[in-house]
Amino acid sequence: METALLRFRVSFSCHPHPHHKKIAAHHRVNNEIPGGYEDEWSPKVLSRRSLLATASGLSLASSTSLAFPGEGLAVVKQGLLAGRVPGLSEPDDEGWRTYRRPDEKSGGHGVGWSPIIPYAFSVPQDWNEVPVSIADLGGTEIDLRFASPKEGRLSVIVAPVLRFADNLGDNVKIENIGTPAKVINAFGPEVIGENVEGKVLSSNVAEHDGRLYYQFELEPPHVLITATAAGNRLYLFSVTGNGLQWKRYYKDLKKIATSFRVV
């Protein structure tokens, strides 16, 4: 304990950084922030009692948020796993892999939403998952991104249908939302960031295992979109590439786009 306290004290005294005051302000003792924390919680006047209480709080927080062995780990296991969870199969004879959204992957849109129904698609073996940022186009509704430096990139947007209508229930089909034209006009901007009027080159309706999929090709920008619905969510699967990628790998990009399934 003495060693831990010494290290804690040194970390305050050896790094006089302006952010330390802000960080210290959030360490509560008995659910209260000591008054005048900008002075009393500075390295010069931090008492041994405050240091002991703060170190104890940090130890408890660490065991919970970082999933150290003990009760904190049990708490983490009860929730959904955050971040990226691998879901790619091994390459088949043609070098293509299938991605299936893992059941353990976190995601959703707040309290009351059912778990996201898994989806799957196929990609060439040089495609891999890339991090998703909430600052990206599509915001927090982007569930997944994949990319290939050679061929292009893709994304999966999972949007609550309540943004479109409030009387569709919890087992929505894409045809309940509307016609292909209605869906692409309403949700296409989610993908390309602008109105889709005049950009839809083609549209098609495919059926797989009783579920309808609306398929679109837009230009510009070069993008293929597959849309369907399941549960209380709309799925927008988009595949895109720059001009050269579109010209060279259109066949692969088209195959990826039409491989999307909600499973």
Side-chain angles (χ1 to χ4, degrees):
M1 177 65 73
E2 289 297 327
T3 302
L5 290 174
L6 178 60
R7 290 176 179 172
F8 187 75
R9 186 185 297 274
V10 170
S11 70
F12 269 79
S13 61
C14 293
H15 300 282
H17 193 280
H19 290 305
H20 285 168
K21 292 184 178 180
K22 185 181 294 183
I23 294 172
H26 293 285
H27 293 314
R28 296 171 181 260
V29 180
N30 296 326
N31 295 322
E32 295 183 1
I33 299 178
Y37 64 83
E38 291 196 2
D39 292 326
E40 296 179 17
W41 280 56
S42 66
K44 296 180 180 178
V45 296
L46 187 64
S47 68
R48 179 178 179 83
R49 179 175 298 176
S50 298
L51 188 59
L52 282 168
T54 305
S56 176
L58 285 175
S59 175
L60 177 60
S62 297
S63 66
T64 301
S65 62
L66 299 182
F68 287 149
E71 294 181 357
L73 183 58
V75 172
V76 173
K77 282 186 175 181
Q78 291 174 3
L80 294 171
L81 295 181
R84 297 158 58 196
V85 180
L88 275 171
S89 70
E90 292 298 319
D92 62 17
D93 293 339
E94 296 180 353
W96 284 66
R97 300 188 292 175
T98 297
Y99 175 88
R100 183 191 184 279
R101 189 186 194 277
D103 295 332
E104 299 84 3
K105 183 178 179 180
S106 64
H109 299 284
V111 176
W113 286 96
S114 58
I116 292 177
I117 298 174
Y119 52 80
F121 56 87
S122 297
V123 289
Q125 59 183 341
D126 66 331
W127 287 66
N128 287 287
E129 187 177 355
V130 297
V132 172
S133 168
I134 60 173
D136 288 344
L137 184 64
T140 58
E141 292 175 354
I142 294 184
D143 189 61
L144 182 75
R145 283 194 185 279
F146 260 65
S148 161
K150 181 176 69 173
E151 295 192 5
R153 58 192 185 277
L154 67 81
S155 68
V156 182
I157 293 176
V158 185
V161 296
L162 282 177
R163 290 205 297 105
F164 193 79
D166 59 3
N167 59 349
L168 295 175
D170 293 328
N171 189 22
V172 181
K173 297 180 179 180
I174 191 74
E175 56 267 35
N176 299 144
I177 297 176
T179 63
K182 187 176 182 179
V183 168
I184 194 62
N185 286 331
F187 290 99
E190 297 276 346
V191 177
I192 68 173
E194 58 184 281
N195 196 297
V196 301
E197 185 177 356
K199 299 180 182 296
V200 182
L201 296 182
S202 65
S203 64
N204 182 53
V205 179
E207 181 177 350
H208 301 283
D209 297 326
R211 191 185 305 279
L212 294 186
Y213 295 80
Y214 294 170
Q215 299 168 343
F216 308 94
E217 181 172 341
L218 279 64
E219 189 179 280
H222 302 289
V223 60
L224 297 161
I225 299 173
T226 298
T228 194
N232 49 20
R233 295 180 174 88
L234 177 77
Y235 293 73
L236 294 170
F237 181 71
S238 65
V239 183
T240 187
N242 60 37
L244 185 59
Q245 291 170 332
W246 196 257
K247 183 178 180 180
R248 290 183 176 178
Y249 302 105
Y250 176 82
K251 185 177 179 180
D252 279 357
L253 298 177
K254 183 75 171 179
K255 182 177 178 179
I256 295 170
T258 57
S259 71
F260 183 76
R261 304 281 189 275
V262 172
V263 297

